[in-house]
């Protein structure tokens, strides 16, 4: 039996961390005496590696000040997460945990993660939500070029032995869908995340909620419940 690989983005897909992200970014800009970008602009760069995200927000800013913004964001994010707890500051979207649990129980499916988070950030989230042992491959920003470069997906396939035809990428941003296309795998977009549906044109399937995931995988691979 050939195993299928289901790779998930994290922020905006499995968990809603927008409050934490917005607060940390606004604090970082305030520390530098700068006006923070709009909510839409900040959420629009979620999923990118942090240095790439900050560059997209303020491309004309001097490099050393951008570096301070990156560090300021990291510090604010960690402080806010510590104060609130990972599960409270980044709660699951409705149905996310149940969907992960259903897929984990299958003998024909492996689960993975491809996220713009750091290793430390992902580990904290996994521990906070009790997801230890759920994912057989976890790809983070520390080890790869920023999305939409296909490195994360390619490494996940290499680690699990899955082919492109046996792999799907589930995410909420255009970066996730472009990464999936670059890796030659099926991209499944979710409609509840940080990019509007009009930006998800590269997706080969779209989900209104996690209850639709099983049916989408059945249609792609013929997997039976």
């Amino acid at each position: 039996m050939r195993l299928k690989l289901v790779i998930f983005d994290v922020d905006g897909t499995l968990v809603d961390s927008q409050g934490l992200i917005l607060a940390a970014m606004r604090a970082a800009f305030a520390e530098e005496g700068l006006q923070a970008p709009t909510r839409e602009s900040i959420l629009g760069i979620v999923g990118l590696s942090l240095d790439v995200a900050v560059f997209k927000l303020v491309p004309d800013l001097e490099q050393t000040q951008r570096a301070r913004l990156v560090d300021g964001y990291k510090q604010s994010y960690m402080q806010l997460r510590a104060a609130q707890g990972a599960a409270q500051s980044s709660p699951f979207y409705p149905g996310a945990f149940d969907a992960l649990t259903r897929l984990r129980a299958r003998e024909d499916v492996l689960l993975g993660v491809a996220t713009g988070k750091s290793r430390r950030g992902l580990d904290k989230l996994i521990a906070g939500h009790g997801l230890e042992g759920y994912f057989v491959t976890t790809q983070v920003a520390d080890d790869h070029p920023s999305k939409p470069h296909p490195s994360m997906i390619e490494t996940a396939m290499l680690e699990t032995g899955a082919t492109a035809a046996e792999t799907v990428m589930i995410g909420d941003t255009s970066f996730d869908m472009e990464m999936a296309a670059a890796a030659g795998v099926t991209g499944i977009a979710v409609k509840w995340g940080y990019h509007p549906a009009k930006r998800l044109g590269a997706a080969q399937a779209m989900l209104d909620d996690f209850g639709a995931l099983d049916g989408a995988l059945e249609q792609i691979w013929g997997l039976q419940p």
Side-chain angles (χ1 to χ4, degrees), residues 40 62 84 93 115 154 156 180 182 196 209:
E40 181 180 22
E62 197 267 333
Q84 300 174 35
Y93 282 104
T115 177
E154 290 171 347
D209 54 54

Side-chain angles (χ1 to χ4, degrees), residues 161-177:
T163 66
E166 295 163 343
T167 302
V168 299
M169 175 69 207
I170 302 173
D172 69 303
T173 70
S174 59
F175 314 128
D176 296 314
M177 297 303 102

Side-chain angles (χ1 to χ4, degrees), residues 9-75:
D9 169 59
V10 176
D11 296 307
T13 300
L14 291 175
V15 300
D16 186 5
S17 50
Q18 66 174 292
L20 186 58
I21 292 168
L22 290 168
M25 192 64 77
R26 287 165 178 164
F29 272 78
E31 183 68 22
E32 289 297 310
L34 299 171
Q35 181 176 352
T38 64
R39 174 183 179 276
E40 181 180 22
S41 295
I42 295 172
L43 293 181
I45 51 81
V46 174
L48 296 174
S49 298
L50 186 54
D51 57 340
V52 176
V54 171
F55 178 80
K56 282 189 172 291
L57 288 174
V58 282
D60 297 328
L61 204 63
E62 197 267 333
Q63 185 175 354
T64 57
Q65 192 170 25
R66 283 205 310 272
R68 291 200 302 270
L69 281 173
V70 169
D71 289 339
Y73 175 86
K74 290 178 180 178
Q75 292 301 317

